[in-house]
Amino acid sequence: MPPTPPPHGPDRRRWLRDTAWRLGAVGAGGLGWTAPAQAQTDHTGGDPLGSMQWPVVKRKFMGDEPARFSPLVQIKGPPFAEDAMNVPVLLDARALARSGAAIDRIVVVADRNPVQQVLTFEPHRALPVLAFRFRLEQGSPLRALVRTRDGQWHVGQTWVNAAGGGCTVPGATRADGSWSQTLNQVQARFFRNVLDGQGTRLRLRVMHPMDTGLVAGIPAFHIEELVLRDSADQVWWRLELHEPVSENPLITFELAQTPPGTLVLQGRDNNGNRIHHEVTA
């Protein structure tokens, strides 16, 4: 029996439309694919900020260990970084600690920075609170990856926009050549803790150019480690710094109690230069 010819006039347009829809549905079914299934594919790994880099960041810094996004971890920065070389950040995981979790370390990363890892903080006898500044190359998610001693990771995040270029421009002391005159000098002072109403706040600055290695003709040159110890050689906190930390790092720590006597700040940079400074509470 010969096929039915297509109709004419307005009915013809309706017939062509319906036929095209049926052919498309059959073709899609023959390939084992449907549009709704593709739309539901999430290449961000469930990231609340929708970052395509998140699956790589998760695998790189947390491996296969269990991880979840947690409102108990707060990391705050400006909505827009007016100075991409000095972006202020406040990290606060006290709510997680109050829930009974023992915090092992905190890793701060910027998804879209050429050097993603900013720093690693081990609180030890300090509160899991840290204020610092870092360089941001472009608008990016900023993460606080908090590992507890049971092997769990708790993730806090925020988004910081920036005009760009924070990692690829030399700092002021590098530009004028004054960095060599103040290298690794330390300024430190204790204040009364204003977050919890008790304990002590320690604010310190270490003079260092913190070169990222991304400026032509200037190799990477940055502080690698800072550790605060008391007279009994007990560690109060340990900090591992990476290239994105801002020039002449200014860092604020919160200590749960006032440390006794004199404490010693020790550290080194990636060229082997030593840092040593005594601090009295």
Side-chain angles (χ1 to χ4, degrees), residues 28-56:
L31 294 174
W33 172 88
T34 59
Q38 186 187 49
Q40 292 173 1
T41 302
D42 183 4
H43 297 290
T44 72
D47 177 28
L49 299 181
S51 170
M52 299 293 287
Q53 289 82 15
W54 169 243
V56 176

Side-chain angles (χ1 to χ4, degrees), residues 113-161:
N113 257 11
V115 180
Q116 292 177 321
Q117 189 169 2
V118 179
L119 57 80
T120 298
F121 176 41
E122 298 176 10
H124 289 278
R125 305 185 70 183
L127 296 174
V129 180
L130 195 68
F132 62 94
R133 294 174 181 266
F134 82 110
R135 293 179 171 99
L136 186 61
E137 183 63 16
Q138 60 180 305
S140 172
L142 183 64
R143 319 272 184 181
L145 317 177
V146 182
R147 189 182 190 277
T148 50
R149 292 176 187 169
D150 59 3
Q152 302 279 332
W153 288 90
H154 309 261
V155 181
Q157 64 280 316
T158 190
W159 184 283
V160 181
N161 283 313

Side-chain angles (χ1 to χ4, degrees), residues 192-213:
R192 180 169 180 78
N193 188 316
V194 297
L195 287 180
D196 288 332
Q198 59 184 354
T200 303
R201 170 175 292 177
L202 171 62
R203 178 170 295 165
L204 63 86
R205 182 192 296 273
V206 183
M207 305 301 289
H208 202 286
M210 299 296 292
D211 297 314
T212 63

Side-chain angles (χ1 to χ4, degrees), residues 242-259:
H242 293 269
E243 294 91 324
V245 174
S246 293
E247 176 186 30
N248 301 329
L250 177 63
I251 309 169
T252 303
F253 303 85
E254 303 289 343
L255 309 180
Q257 56 184 313
T258 302

Side-chain angles (χ1 to χ4, degrees), residues 58-279:
K58 181 179 182 298
R59 184 167 57 251
K60 179 178 179 181
F61 294 102
M62 296 181 289
D64 296 327
E65 294 184 313
R68 65 185 183 91
F69 297 103
S70 172
L72 302 181
V73 177
Q74 298 290 318
I75 186 164
K76 300 178 181 179
F80 184 86
E82 295 183 2
D83 182 357
M85 298 181 69
N86 289 282
V87 182
V89 176
L90 175 63
L91 161 68
D92 189 349
R94 287 177 299 160
L96 180 61
R98 284 195 291 263
S99 72
I103 295 175
D104 180 38
R105 66 180 181 271
I106 304 171
V107 182
V108 178
V109 299
D111 289 21
R112 297 186 178 182
N113 257 11
V115 180
Q116 292 177 321
Q117 189 169 2
V118 179
L119 57 80
T120 298
F121 176 41
E122 298 176 10
H124 289 278
R125 305 185 70 183
L127 296 174
V129 180
L130 195 68
F132 62 94
R133 294 174 181 266
F134 82 110
R135 293 179 171 99
L136 186 61
E137 183 63 16
Q138 60 180 305
S140 172
L142 183 64
R143 319 272 184 181
L145 317 177
V146 182
R147 189 182 190 277
T148 50
R149 292 176 187 169
D150 59 3
Q152 302 279 332
W153 288 90
H154 309 261
V155 181
Q157 64 280 316
T158 190
W159 184 283
V160 181
N161 283 313
C167 296
T168 51
V169 177
T173 60
R174 174 63 72 178
D176 64 20
S178 63
W179 66 270
S180 61
Q181 303 169 26
T182 59
L183 182 67
N184 288 342
Q185 292 181 7
V186 177
Q187 301 169 339
R189 184 178 175 184
F190 282 101
F191 300 86
R192 180 169 180 78
N193 188 316
V194 297
L195 287 180
D196 288 332
Q198 59 184 354
T200 303
R201 170 175 292 177
L202 171 62
R203 178 170 295 165
L204 63 86
R205 182 192 296 273
V206 183
M207 305 301 289
H208 202 286
M210 299 296 292
D211 297 314
T212 63
L214 300 174
V215 179
I218 304 177
F221 182 41
H222 62 93
I223 299 170
E224 288 187 326
E225 184 183 53
L226 293 173
V227 183
L228 186 69
R229 289 186 171 90
D230 61 21
S231 57
D233 205 34
Q234 292 182 316
V235 174
W236 282 69
W237 51 257
R238 186 186 305 273
L239 195 62
E240 176 187 311
L241 292 85
H242 293 269
E243 294 91 324
V245 174
S246 293
E247 176 186 30
N248 301 329
L250 177 63
I251 309 169
T252 303
F253 303 85
E254 303 289 343
L255 309 180
Q257 56 184 313
T258 302
T262 299
L263 293 93
V264 177
L265 176 70
Q266 295 176 318
R268 66 174 188 278
D269 63 28
N270 66 329
N271 279 12
N273 299 302
R274 297 290 174 177
I275 299 167
H276 182 94
H277 186 79
E278 294 185 354
V279 188

